Every structure is written in C-alpha cells, then in structure tokens.
Amino acid sequence: MSYIPTPEQAEELVKRYNKDAFHIQHAETVSKVMGEFAREYDPENIDFWRTVGMLHDIDFELWPEQHCVKAGELLRELDIDGDVIHAVVSHGYGICIDVAPEKYMEKVLFATDELTGLIGAVALMRPNGISDMEVKSVTKKFKDKKFAAGCDREVIRRGAEMMGVELSELIGKTIEAMRA
C-alpha cells in the first residue's frame, strides 16, 4: 500500500540520500516555497505540496546524471504514492526526463525550483538579504546571464508560461514565499 510521507518524513528521506548542506537547504527552501504557494492555490493540501518540494531533488547528490529517473525508482521502491512520484519526476521535464507537469502544483514546482536558486543568489549580494528585496532586483540579475549562471532562465520562463503568469508575478510570489 503506497503512502504520502509528511514533510518531516520526506526530510528524513532526503537526508538519507543527501549529506551536502546545500542540497538539504535547497530541499527545505523549495518545500517551504511550495507550502506558501499551496496556501493560495490549494490550502487543503499544504503538506502534500511541501512533501513534493522536499523530495524533488532526492536523487541529485548521488545520481546527478540520472536525475529524476533515479528519483522515480527510489520513490517507487519506498512505496511512495504515485502522485508524489509524478510531481517529483515532472520537475525535470525537458531537462532530464520527458514526463510533463500536468497539475498546477507540478507546474509551480517546475517554475520555482530554479527561481529559488536565483533569488537566493541575489539575496547573498544584498545587505538585508531577502527582507527588503524587490522584483526589479531579481529581474535585473535575471537578465545578466553571467550572474548565477547555473540557474536556467529558460526553465524559469517556461515555468511561468505553464502557470499562466507573467515572469514578474512569479518572481514576486516566489520572493514573498521565500520571505515567509
């Protein structure tokens, strides 16, 4: 019988396969951002959104060349619910796997995964971090391809399109979610 882990159980699973503080911090950040988006779009399922955010990169540290493929295998072996697996795997759509995000929650994960990295990098450059960050600060750095070069701007743009929102709105909502 498959199950949906709580966000706390998901965190334990992530820590089983990830030791690098950066990867654990990223999982926690994305989990919290997903929870904040769920408050607006799906308030009855905040824990589900948080669990998916926590588990999204469970395989990345040990199997980066099999990212999302290995996650699906791992989560199936752990008897995790299929909806969680599809959401986790689909965040790599067009990057490392051909499973498309279908549900709105999956599109939010696709869009915010890379964006949290970019916003986090911008926050490191600011004296007050994220506390007084404005959309224009992120937009300016978004246009600078050399800044946080590992954050794929095209993935962020495609995510905003999938969600049906302007890029600036996605950035603003993600800043607010990270601030919370």
Side-chain angles (χ1 to χ4, degrees), residues 12-148:
E12 290 307 310
L13 290 172
V14 166
K15 288 178 177 176
R16 187 184 306 172
Y17 297 98
N18 293 270
K19 304 302 176 209
D20 186 288
F22 175 82
H23 292 137
I24 294 166
Q25 177 65 50
H26 175 66
E28 290 169 351
T29 299
V30 173
S31 176
K32 288 174 182 164
V33 165
M34 291 296 289
E36 290 302 310
F37 272 85
R39 285 184 208 297
E40 181 177 349
Y41 297 109
D42 191 11
E44 304 80 45
N45 291 302
I46 291 170
D47 279 356
F48 181 79
W49 285 52
R50 287 201 52 224
T51 290
V52 168
M54 182 61 70
L55 293 173
H56 83 283
D57 279 349
I58 190 168
D59 61 347
F60 192 77
E61 188 172 315
L62 294 176
W63 302 280
E65 68 291 335
Q66 292 178 280
H67 184 41
C68 293
V69 174
K70 191 66 179 174
E73 293 171 7
L74 271 178
L75 297 174
R76 273 188 286 284
E77 287 169 15
L78 294 166
D79 213 20
I80 305 294
D81 183 80
D83 287 343
V84 173
I85 295 171
H86 188 275
V88 165
V89 169
S90 71
H91 92 277
Y93 179 62
I95 305 161
C96 55
I97 202 154
D98 62 357
V99 177
E102 295 167 1
K103 297 180 176 141
Y104 197 72
M105 179 267 302
E106 296 169 344
K107 295 171 183 179
V108 171
L109 176 61
F110 182 90
T112 59
D113 178 29
E114 289 288 308
L115 184 52
T116 59
L118 181 66
I119 292 170
V122 173
L124 290 174
M125 305 298 294
R126 300 172 50 80
N128 297 327
I130 199 165
S131 65
D132 62 351
M133 185 184 292
E134 295 180 20
V135 172
K136 67 182 177 185
S137 303
V138 178
T139 304
K140 182 178 175 186
K141 293 296 188 183
F142 185 92
K143 293 173 183 168
D144 179 357
K145 303 284 186 257
K146 291 181 181 135
F147 180 81

